[in-house]
Amino acid sequence: MVMVDGTRSALVSPELAPTAVVRGVSYAYGDGVNRKTVLANVDLVLEPGRFVVLTGHSGAGKTTLLTLIGAIRSLQNGHIDVLGIRLTTGAERQSRDRRRKIGFIFQDHNLFGAISVFRTLWLATELGNMPLSRSEAMEKALGILTRLNMAEHLHAFPGELSTGQKQRVAVARALMNDPKLILGDEPTASLDHASSMLVVNLIREHVLRNGASALIVTHDERIVEFADHIIRLEDGQMVQHK
Amino acid sequence: MSLLAHKLRSFIESLPASFLLGVRLAASDSMAFGAAVTGLAVGVLVMFVEIGFLIAILQAQARIATLVRGDLIIISAAQTSLHDWQRFDRVRLAQALGYKQVEQAIPIYESGMLLRNPPARSVHRVIAFAFPADAMPLDIGNPTKVKEALQKPNAILFDRLSRPLFGQISPGHEIKLNNQTYDVAGLVDFGPDMIMDGAVFMSEGTWLSTEPGARPIMGVIRLKPGTNITLAEHKLRALLPGDVTVMTPHDAYVREIDFTLRAAPIGFIFGLGAAAGLVIGAIICYQTLYNQIFDCAKEYATLRVMGFSNSFFRRVMIEQGVLLALASLVVGAIGAVAAYWLLDDATGMPITLGMDILFVVGIPTVGVAAFAADMACRHILTPEPTELY
Ligand SMILES: Nc1ncnc2c1ncn2[C@@H]1O[C@H](COP(=O)(O)OP(=O)(O)OP(=O)(O)O)[C@@H](O)[C@H]1O
Ligand SMILES: [Mg+2]
């Protein structure tokens, strides 16, 4: 079901199943003497409609946790359910299906210079439940880009955009398929204050409207203010603040 | 008009976002694309030259079979190639006429001779052919003109496609063949091959005047209209003694090509050359796509994280490989036209860039480019795209 209007917001209620459940997840890099435990028995529940900020000092394991939830990295211990689905280990196709349901925002925009903004966004919709026609995709892309103050760049190529503008395109791309889960790793690092606020507001609104959850790694105090929950990773353990 | 425009519009509208994505990616970096196409085109050109030259040699070797104006030919059973002429008894042609469906049985004589062209002070070996002036068993020019010219006493016709080493020879000249003087009465079109540099033609009468008991090397059979050629071939074989054999000109053509390929290692040599061109192309294609993947590693990894399937990436890469191949084929073909012109100029063996050569070169080129693209694609599909965050 593709929701483009706001009718879904009424459905967001506490009884809805959590978007993601992390139980007893431990993770270690390396082997033998080089073995280094990064996550130790982490538990985390992401409720629908919540904007959650993940903090912690550098090397605390924030990125590692995001890659595990996002099925980019295989689990070693514990389990993670996303939208009620637990992956069988080694099932490439299952993890791909999970990733398709997630909106990923990275620190870098990673846009192909040869592909226009519109085509980048349209291409993302090929991973959605229903492929969008060109005009449907155009409407959807314009809707999101307008919110990010990027509408006039619909047909631009990345080379014609500033770093901050490219990053906003990457944010728009993550939202094209109405993901139920958004995972962001320092998504506003390259943005100025005004653009950061546009991005945060858009993600918060998306989360509320779609009953989705966002888990955003950031040190940006301006973003932390808007969080429904703030979670800190310390020594591989979760510490909830707010 | 507007309906067509509308149809086109809705067709374009219906194309998915990833349609020709690989083409967009490959064409976007015009410097890299141009460099890759140039490199690949060199490989393609090598293939065009090798295969074109091989085809030219094979066709030249078998040319006489394609010029026969008749339904069947009679040759000595001992003969294995159209250059190793074995003579047979003229009586066999008379015997062939014993089959009622045979209308004409025309003898062709052949011998290597030394051609002396006094003004050019050159002496070179030439192949001399002879046939009855009015029968025209070979398609070498206008039959009426050939007949008129050959009926003059002591006349020879010189092959204007001969290699230039014979010097200028035109109608009105006198030349010597094996120390006997002949008048050049006209020019015909035949063409050299690997063994012959040139040819002359004379009438049967002129030929027999120097060698009265001459034996032909080929008999050209013309059947009465409506005769079943295969049936006639069998009848004649049964009718004639075992020292001669009967076949269609086309069979002789095929047999000659087969013989040339087996007798001389040219098929292998040119095949190896063409394969080298193909390998060059494959390596350049792989290298280009590998570099592109390397340069766009994060971009590709992002698409993988988003959930694009392996087949999506293979399609995108193969599109890029095929685009490279097609562009290089165009550039290589332009180079080949020039190379063929040079080869024709140097050897007198014309090569036309026909559909046959285009396919023989084009299909492996596209295939190998697609394969190289698929190999390069493995670098995108490494186990887990974890380097992104
Ligand atoms: N591929 C890897 N191999 C070995 N060790 C790794 C690897 N990736 C991360 N680590 C280590 O694991 C620890 C956690 O890394 P992670 O990237 O999850 O931290 P982080 O909280 O995201 O840090 P930052 O805020 O600097 O991005 C670090 O000490 C890091 O050195
Ligand atoms: Mg990190």
Side-chain angles (χ1 to χ4, degrees):
Chain A
M1 186 168 28
V2 182
M3 305 296 296
V4 281
D5 54 10
T7 54
R8 190 65 189 272
S9 54
L11 297 177
V12 179
S13 67
E15 309 95 67
L16 278 176
T19 317
V21 178
V22 178
R23 288 275 174 250
V25 165
S26 303
Y27 198 89
Y29 289 104
D31 280 317
V33 285
N34 292 323
R35 188 175 167 85
K36 186 180 172 215
T37 300
V38 177
L39 300 175
N41 209 15
V42 170
D43 292 327
L44 172 67
V45 175
L46 293 176
E47 304 281 359
R50 296 286 191 265
F51 183 91
V52 180
V53 163
L54 180 61
T55 61
H57 63 84
S58 180
K62 306 180 293 294
T63 299
T64 307
L65 182 60
L66 281 195
T67 59
L68 290 171
I69 298 174
I72 299 173
R73 193 184 287 286
S74 303
L75 277 175
Q76 291 172 344
N77 271 305
H79 55 78
I80 297 177
D81 297 341
V82 171
L83 302 171
I85 296 171
R86 190 170 300 178
L87 305 184
T88 327
T89 34
E92 164 82 23
R93 200 196 174 87
Q94 278 182 19
S95 40
R96 196 161 67 222
D97 285 343
R98 170 181 290 182
R99 297 202 302 266
R100 286 183 180 189
K101 296 189 184 110
I102 297 174
F104 290 96
I105 310 170
F106 305 103
Q107 202 166 343
D108 296 326
H109 52 82
N110 304 335
L111 300 176
F112 277 100
I115 308 180
S116 73
V117 170
F118 169 60
R119 196 164 281 271
T120 297
L121 301 186
W122 186 20
L123 186 63
T125 67
E126 283 193 9
L127 298 168
N129 297 330
M130 252 202 308
L132 299 188
S133 74
R134 195 187 155 84
S135 45
E136 289 165 335
M138 180 94 67
E139 199 182 315
K140 177 121 202 186
L142 264 177
I144 297 174
L145 288 176
T146 305
R147 298 296 313 279
L148 293 169
N149 208 2
M150 284 287 295
E152 73 266 37
H153 300 296
L154 180 68
H155 293 293
F157 282 83
E160 303 157 1
L161 301 175
S162 72
T163 312
Q165 289 171 330
K166 284 183 271 205
Q167 184 64 9
R168 280 180 275 163
V169 175
V171 171
R173 171 171 64 182
L175 297 179
M176 279 301 281
N177 290 328
D178 299 316
K180 288 284 184 214
L181 177 59
I182 296 170
L183 298 178
D185 200 343
E186 303 278 6
T188 57
S190 59
L191 297 178
D192 61 13
H193 180 67
S195 302
S196 296
M197 286 306 109
L198 289 174
V199 167
V200 170
N201 282 327
L202 183 61
I203 294 176
R204 282 192 66 200
E205 191 187 305
H206 173 93
V207 158
L208 282 172
R209 190 185 274 195
N210 294 279
S213 312
L215 181 61
I216 308 293
V217 172
T218 188
H219 294 102
D220 190 337
E221 287 303 325
R222 301 164 305 189
I223 294 183
V224 175
E225 265 179 49
F226 290 91
D228 297 315
H229 296 295
I230 302 166
I231 295 165
R232 235 187 114 72
L233 261 178
E234 263 173 31
D235 301 326
Q237 308 264 330
M238 283 295 188
V239 188
Q240 186 138 353
H241 276 241
K242 171 174 139 190
Chain B
M1 178 58 212
S2 83
L3 182 74
L4 193 73
H6 179 77
K7 282 237 157 101
L8 193 70
R9 217 192 146 90
S10 54
F11 171 71
I12 292 172
E13 181 77 4
S14 70
L15 295 171
S18 57
F19 178 71
L20 294 187
L21 184 67
V23 170
R24 279 166 213 277
L25 292 178
S28 66
D29 187 350
S30 48
M31 282 283 282
F33 186 71
V37 166
T38 308
L40 244 146
V42 170
V44 168
L45 179 62
V46 168
M47 283 195 278
F48 271 126
V49 168
E50 299 283 337
I51 287 170
F53 207 35
L54 175 62
I55 289 178
I57 287 175
L58 293 177
Q59 281 177 347
Q61 294 302 106
R63 182 177 304 115
I64 194 166
T66 65
L67 295 177
V68 166
R69 297 173 80 232
D71 302 307
L72 293 169
I73 61 170
I74 296 178
I75 54 174
S76 163
Q79 185 170 337
T80 50
S81 130
L82 295 178
H83 292 81
D84 156 44
W85 291 112
Q86 304 287 321
R87 299 171 181 202
F88 59 88
D89 210 321
R90 222 185 316 173
V91 172
R92 299 286 171 260
L93 299 182
Q95 287 169 330
L97 286 168
Y99 177 47
K100 62 179 190 326
Q101 292 304 111
V102 174
E103 193 159 79
Q104 274 180 295
I106 309 151
I108 298 178
Y109 305 87
E110 181 261 10
S111 180
M113 291 186 181
L114 285 178
L115 187 155
R116 184 188 300 270
N117 181 16
R121 293 217 211 101
S122 62
V123 184
H124 290 284
R125 215 177 104 87
V126 75
I127 302 296
F129 291 98
F131 49 79
D134 54 357
M136 194 68 178
L138 295 175
D139 185 13
I140 52 172
N142 179 306
T144 330
K145 282 188 186 157
V146 168
K147 179 181 163 184
E148 266 171 28
L150 283 184
Q151 275 170 341
K152 293 176 191 155
N154 227 24
I156 65 123
L157 303 176
F158 181 68
D159 172 18
R160 81 175 99 222
L161 302 177
S162 298
R163 298 210 166 94
L165 52 87
F166 297 100
Q168 176 73 28
I169 296 179
S170 10
H173 283 197
E174 276 191 353
I175 55 149
K176 285 190 166 183
L177 288 173
N178 287 357
N179 273 329
Q180 221 170 319
T181 308
Y182 292 88
D183 299 323
V184 178
L187 298 174
V188 290
D189 298 304
F190 188 70
D193 64 23
M194 271 207 310
I195 295 159
M196 308 187 283
D197 291 321
V200 295
F201 296 83
M202 61 180 81
S203 73
E204 183 184 29
T206 309
W207 188 276
L208 292 179
S209 68
T210 53
E211 192 193 347
R215 288 142 48 91
I217 49 124
M218 188 193 286
V220 172
I221 302 287
R222 291 198 183 127
L223 298 168
K224 288 183 179 150
T227 309
N228 180 323
I229 295 176
T230 318
L231 190 71
E233 185 181 338
H234 289 298
K235 289 270 190 209
L236 283 170
R237 273 198 196 153
L239 183 72
L240 296 172
D243 61 348
V244 289
T245 183
V246 182
M247 64 181 76
T248 62
H250 183 256
D251 286 344
Y253 175 79
V254 172
R255 198 176 88 137
E256 182 63 16
I257 286 179
D258 190 50
F259 174 83
T260 313
L261 284 175
R262 274 187 291 113
I266 58 166
F268 177 74
I269 290 170
F270 285 99
L272 203 65
L278 200 60
V279 170
I280 294 173
I283 291 173
I284 291 174
C285 186
Y286 177 84
Q287 198 61 45
T288 306
L289 296 178
Y290 177 82
N291 287 345
Q292 200 251 14
I293 289 171
F294 190 81
D295 290 343
C296 297
K298 283 189 131 188
E299 288 86 332
Y300 281 117
T302 301
L303 294 183
R304 261 197 95 205
V305 166
M306 287 166 64
F308 282 99
S309 63
N310 293 1
S311 59
F312 167 86
F313 293 104
R314 293 178 70 177
R315 199 179 83 210
V316 166
M317 293 319 292
I318 287 173
E319 263 177 31
Q320 300 191 50
V322 169
L323 180 74
L324 275 177
L326 293 179
S328 331
L329 277 168
V330 172
V331 176
I334 292 169
V337 171
Y340 290 173
W341 185 83
L342 290 174
L343 282 172
D344 185 11
D345 202 43
T347 66
M349 291 194 272
I351 317 169
T352 23
L353 185 59
M355 275 297 164
D356 48 354
I357 300 183
L358 273 177
F359 276 107
V360 166
V361 172
I363 289 171
T365 302
V366 171
V368 142
F371 176 74
D374 199 43
M375 294 295 289
C377 190
R378 289 170 189 215
H379 295 284
I380 299 179
L381 306 176
T382 44
E384 288 182 327
T386 48
E387 334 74 37
L388 274 181
Y389 270 126

